[in-house]
Each structure stands twice: as C-alpha cells, then as structure tokens.
Amino acid sequence: MACPQLISSASSSSSLNPNKLPYPSIPNLHFPSQPLLRCRLLPHLRRRRRHDSLHCSASSFSEKHHTNSPKSDDLVELPLFPLPLVLFPGAILPLQIFEFRYRIMMHTLLQTDLRFGVICSDALSGTADVGCVGEVIKHERLVDDRFFLICKGQERFRVNNLVRTKPYLVAQVTWLEDRPSANGEEDLDGLANEVETYMKDVIRLSNRLGGKPEKEVGDLRRNLFPTPFSFFVGSTFEGAPREQQALLELEDTAARLKREKETLRNTLNYLTAASAVKDVFPSS
C-alpha cells in the first residue's frame, strides 16, 4: 500500500461552497497525474489535487438521495462529463465549467432537468462504463459564460452505447441498484458499524501523526443506512480513483462495506506501525 501523506484540509472561499461539516482527514493514497480537466474543481478541491491527496470530506449525504430513483431496466439518454475522479451517490462536487462544449451542455441542462453523467476517465485506465448522475443544485453564470456549479451525486448508471460524441458525449444508460447479498443473512448494520470504528481509528492516528490534538471523533454515520453510508465511505478515498471506481461498480452493499473495511484495516495497520516508530524516534 502506498505510503500515506498527511496534510491539512483546505477550505474554500468561494461563495458557492456547499455546507460542509467539520471532518478530520484520513491518510492519503497517491495516484498518477491526470490529464487537463475540461472544467476546474473549485479552489478547495483544486488545492487538494495539487497534493495528490486523499481526504475524508464531509459531503452532504442524504438518506433520500435515492428517492424516486428510475427503474434499473429503464434505458435513457444522458449527457456525459468525463472527469479524472469518481462521484458517489450523495456526494457533493463543486466545479467550474469553462470549455466551450461543456458550456453548451450547461445551457441545455439549465433548460431541462439539470442532470448529467459524471464518468471517470484518465489516460491510464481509459473511460469507465459505470458512473454517477450529478445533479446541479446551485449554479452561477459569469459574464464570460463560465459556470460555477455545485453538484450532488444521484443514481449510478452503466453506459450501454454512445448516441453521439459532438459537441459533447451523450449515451444510452441503464440504472444500477444494489441487489440483495447472496447471503441474505448479512448483518449490514454490523458491517457499517465496524467500518465506522475503523474510520475513527484511522482518523485518530492520522491526526496524531500529523501533530494535531487527539480528540474524540464524532458520529460518522449520521443516521445513514448501510448503503448510503458505504457510498459515503467510498467518497472519502479521494486520491485512489481505481479503488473508488471498483467500489462504485459493486452492486452489493455487504461486498462494498467489506472491501472498505479491508482498506481501512490495512491503512490502520500502517498507521499503527508509523506511530510506534514515531514514539521510538520522535524526530523521524
């Protein structure tokens, strides 16, 4: 596992920032440099990417993000926005749109339902088949026709085929939903509680190694049911897009929580060893 880099969380001064709860950072996984974005992340995310970092972010997750979701067998057309990141249901994504074709897309969306597909794409892995709908919940149009957006992740989708590629991508997609686990007796609440415990331990040790005061980590689940909580946990693994994409594609809540538990356990083992070394060699 890559060696974690501990840096301070950055806050943004943008007037369109979503309301974020104070949330400690967890260790970072490095990822390769990404190609130029067709948009810009808003300032606090832009600084975060400059460090190729992974932070626990306090996205405004809602228990109702899946309310009135389309049926999984529906086939619909959806404009696509390829980005070198993974959006999860319930997560908040601030963007600045400046490329001409995506400004055209925004003009269209503002006259329809304000929803587009965010799909992970980079030079190493190519473009994923599974993405997440981003719904524009706040926007600001500037005099030069750029847009500041606050988007929220909604349903997941799978790309079936491309309808057109110009001026921007439009695809036919079907919706993804988590299916019941093969073992119908999985204790999802128990799994979610275990994942939360590991997250708290990782945050506590991360803060200690970063020289921050040790304090009790508050409630991370915030009354979320296991499925949206599993999406929330996945969204905190920023800086590890391949792992995030694998978590997004899983259609089994138990499998997703188990994979997140394993990732957090490995991170905790690393941090525990690093903390022990620091105790023996305080100046290291």
Side-chain angles (χ1 to χ4, degrees), residues 4-254:
Q5 176 191 4
L6 304 173
I7 64 172
S8 300
S9 299
S11 59
S12 170
S13 59
S14 170
S15 61
L16 273 184
N17 281 348
N19 292 327
K20 288 183 173 284
L21 299 173
Y23 206 81
S25 58
I26 65 174
N28 312 311
L29 301 174
H30 298 290
F31 63 99
S33 298
Q34 303 290 357
L36 180 66
L37 292 174
R38 273 81 58 188
C39 67
R40 291 192 181 94
L41 299 174
L42 289 186
H44 64 296
L45 292 185
R46 194 161 63 238
R47 285 195 291 271
R48 189 178 295 162
R49 280 197 171 272
R50 190 176 297 138
H51 290 85
D52 286 340
S53 310
L54 162 72
H55 285 292
C56 262
S57 54
S59 301
S60 300
F61 272 70
S62 169
E63 203 67 79
K64 297 182 180 180
H65 73 265
H66 55 279
T67 300
N68 299 322
S69 297
K71 295 180 180 178
S72 59
D73 56 353
D74 286 347
L75 187 65
V76 299
E77 289 189 6
L78 186 70
L80 298 183
F81 199 161
L83 290 170
L85 54 84
V86 179
L87 178 65
F88 282 85
I92 296 297
L93 177 63
L95 294 172
Q96 180 189 163
I97 307 295
F98 61 87
E99 188 177 335
F100 179 68
R101 58 178 166 164
Y102 292 107
R103 285 188 277 140
I104 293 176
M105 184 178 78
M106 278 307 306
H107 283 286
T108 302
L109 293 179
L110 289 174
Q111 298 174 27
T112 54
D113 65 353
L114 297 175
R115 291 157 60 88
F116 59 94
V118 175
I119 196 156
C120 186
S121 178
D122 62 47
L124 291 178
S125 305
T127 302
D129 293 327
V130 173
C132 179
V133 170
E135 181 176 13
V136 178
I137 57 175
K138 288 185 180 181
H139 71 276
E140 180 181 349
R141 181 180 173 184
L142 305 182
V143 291
D144 58 1
D145 210 30
R146 287 179 297 130
F147 288 88
F148 287 117
L149 309 178
I150 299 296
C151 307
K152 184 174 183 180
Q154 300 292 343
E155 300 87 1
R156 292 174 297 157
F157 62 85
R158 184 182 301 278
V159 174
N160 286 53
N161 56 78
L162 287 178
V163 176
R164 66 172 186 264
T165 58
K166 294 182 179 180
Y168 50 84
L169 295 176
V170 177
Q172 285 189 321
V173 305
T174 50
W175 307 111
L176 293 185
E177 296 179 356
D178 276 9
R179 302 168 181 168
S181 300
N183 179 1
E185 297 182 359
E186 290 278 10
D187 180 7
L188 295 181
D189 268 314
L191 270 173
N193 289 335
E194 289 181 56
V195 169
E196 181 185 27
T197 298
Y198 275 113
M199 286 187 75
K200 288 181 176 181
D201 289 341
V202 165
I203 290 167
R204 177 178 52 80
L205 278 180
S206 174
N207 287 341
R208 180 183 179 190
L209 285 169
K212 298 179 181 178
E214 290 194 44
K215 56 183 179 181
E216 186 68 23
V217 180
D219 177 22
L220 302 182
R221 281 191 66 176
R222 302 196 297 274
N223 296 319
L224 290 175
F225 288 130
T227 298
F229 179 67
S230 72
F231 290 138
F232 167 69
V233 175
S235 76
T236 69
F237 293 176
E238 294 177 14
R242 291 185 184 181
E243 178 63 17
Q244 287 186 306
Q245 184 64 36
L247 292 169
L248 185 75
E249 293 181 8
L250 287 173
E251 298 178 58
D252 183 326
T253 300

Side-chain angles (χ1 to χ4, degrees), residues 264-277:
L264 290 166
R265 178 162 52 196
N266 290 339
T267 303
L268 183 62
N269 288 341
Y270 171 84
L271 290 175
T272 301
S275 181
V277 170

